[in-house]
Amino acid sequence: MSRPITATINTAALKKNLSIVRNIAPRSHIWAVIKANAYGHGIERVWKSLSNTDGFALLDIHEALLLREQGWQKPILLLEGFFHSDDLNILHQYHLTTIVHSHWQIQALKKAYLPSPLDIYLKINCGMNRLGFQPSEIHKIWHQLKELRSVGKLTLMTHFAEAECTQEVIEYMKKFSQTSKNLNGNISVANSAAILWHPQTHFDWVRPGIILYGASPSKHWKDIEDSGLVPVMTLNSKIIAIQNLVSGSSVGYSHYYRASHMQYIGIVACGYADGYPHHAPTGTPVMVEGIVTQTIGAISMDMIAVDLTRCPQARIGSSVELWGENIKINDVASISGTIGYELMCALSSRVPVKIK
């Protein structure tokens, strides 16, 4: 028998979450963001469940080609653009839309001889200072691109550094509006947080990412608990050993946890090599046989110790939810000093995945 850990992908939840985005932004087209192998869920596993989207947005050109090979014919957006001028022929061949954020990319487009033009997203740096042109350059660049035969439809975009912060959104949108004045093109600025909390940012295309997978774009599940969004990934395992600790005895590496009384504990087949956060402290929530309890001691490569005081009925083989439908990934991430995005993306390839 195989090790009892499993990640379950709920395809009905994916469909529901996409429909919620559609209802929140009914006048906008949707780029479903599936970068980082669909946030750890697996592009091949999830794209058909998201096929009601208007387009997919991702980073890697190989992921884009995979989608085309799988049968996806609608738009695909490359969120970091192209990385080499030779890529432009591939973008044309597979009908890919690309972000342009750097002057060298404009030069590559000038030199390109393509049978038909590419659709372009022109990225404005409104303050995040990762990718994009300064607002003062945009009008000049816009008109440069409009003159190129290799450039087709132009869309303006930017990205919020902290879209859960209303004041920042106001400042970004003021800068964006000033920059894009008199430029006749579509607009895409709303990420997951902006979709949920700032309807004035929806415009022509929205770009949902983490909310498609049923987690909060902030660090807190409570921020979306009334949204109807449903967790897509559930990480389950089982108890593989039981220990009875006497007062003063420890469990795990470095004796990080010592029992202050007689204590019934379980050892779960899951660890940081499976993608569980190594820094999760004692007290991180888990569910055993439907009862919420907590981890104790250090997280090992392959095992986690959990307190069974609240669930004395637990035995070897008892079910454990590490995160998912009941134990929210945001809560595990927050107490571990990280974010839900990282936990999703960190799911190990050694964990078997089941499609529900």
Side-chain angles (χ1 to χ4, degrees), residues 249-307:
S249 61
S250 65
V251 60
Y253 288 113
S254 302
H255 307 291
Y256 284 146
Y257 180 84
R258 288 188 181 276
S260 60
H261 54 277
M262 291 286 292
Q263 192 170 6
Y264 184 53
I265 71 167
I267 306 301
V268 180
C270 179
Y272 61 78
D274 299 298
Y276 199 83
H278 176 257
H279 295 296
T282 292
T284 302
V286 296
M287 178 175 277
V288 178
E289 294 290 355
I291 297 173
V292 177
T293 181
Q294 63 181 20
T295 65
I296 55 174
I299 305 301
S300 301
M301 180 182 288
D302 311 305
M303 288 173 276
I304 298 171
V306 298
D307 182 14

Side-chain angles (χ1 to χ4, degrees), residues 230-250:
V230 182
V232 171
M233 179 193 294
T234 298
L235 183 62
N236 289 114
S237 190
K238 292 183 179 180
I239 291 174
I240 59 172
I242 299 288
Q243 300 290 343
N244 288 287
L245 302 184
V246 299
S247 180
S249 61
S250 65

Side-chain angles (χ1 to χ4, degrees), residues 2-8 45 235 274 347-354:
S2 60
R3 191 162 170 260
I5 189 170
T6 305
T8 301
R45 301 184 192 110
L235 183 62
D274 299 298
L347 183 72
S348 172
S349 59
R350 79 176 188 173
V351 177
V353 177
K354 181 173 69 173

Side-chain angles (χ1 to χ4, degrees), residues 15-34:
K15 294 176 183 178
K16 179 179 181 180
N17 295 341
L18 178 60
S19 71
I20 288 172
V21 173
R22 185 76 72 186
N23 289 335
I24 293 172
R27 295 180 178 85
S28 303
H29 292 89
I30 297 173
W31 288 115
V33 180
I34 55 171

Side-chain angles (χ1 to χ4, degrees), residues 17 20 192-193 196-197 210-211 213-218 220-231 328-330:
N17 295 341
I20 288 172
S192 287
L196 290 176
W197 301 314
I210 194 74
I211 57 175
Y213 308 98
S216 176
S218 71
H220 309 291
W221 171 258
K222 65 180 177 60
D223 292 336
I224 65 165
E225 62 184 352
D226 297 324
S227 66
L229 295 166
V230 182
K328 307 307 181 187
I329 197 168
N330 290 110

Side-chain angles (χ1 to χ4, degrees), residues 134-202:
Q134 292 300 317
S136 60
E137 301 178 277
I138 292 301
H139 271 259
K140 180 180 178 181
I141 292 171
W142 176 274
H143 293 296
Q144 284 180 342
L145 291 172
K146 291 290 283 186
E147 293 175 359
L148 299 182
R149 62 182 180 183
S150 59
V151 173
K153 188 174 183 180
L154 273 174
T155 299
L156 285 168
M157 72 173 298
T158 194
H159 194 64
F160 297 109
E162 194 178 6
E164 58 268 34
C165 174
T166 299
Q167 188 56 42
E168 174 164 298
V169 171
I170 291 171
E171 292 173 2
Y172 269 49
M173 287 311 303
K174 181 179 179 181
K175 187 178 295 186
F176 186 88
S177 296
Q178 292 170 345
T179 302
S180 59
K181 188 176 181 180
N182 298 323
L183 298 180
N184 185 24
N186 282 345
I187 292 174
S188 176
V189 299
N191 58 5
S192 287
I195 291 166
L196 290 176
W197 301 314
H198 306 289
Q200 75 276 21
T201 69
H202 291 173

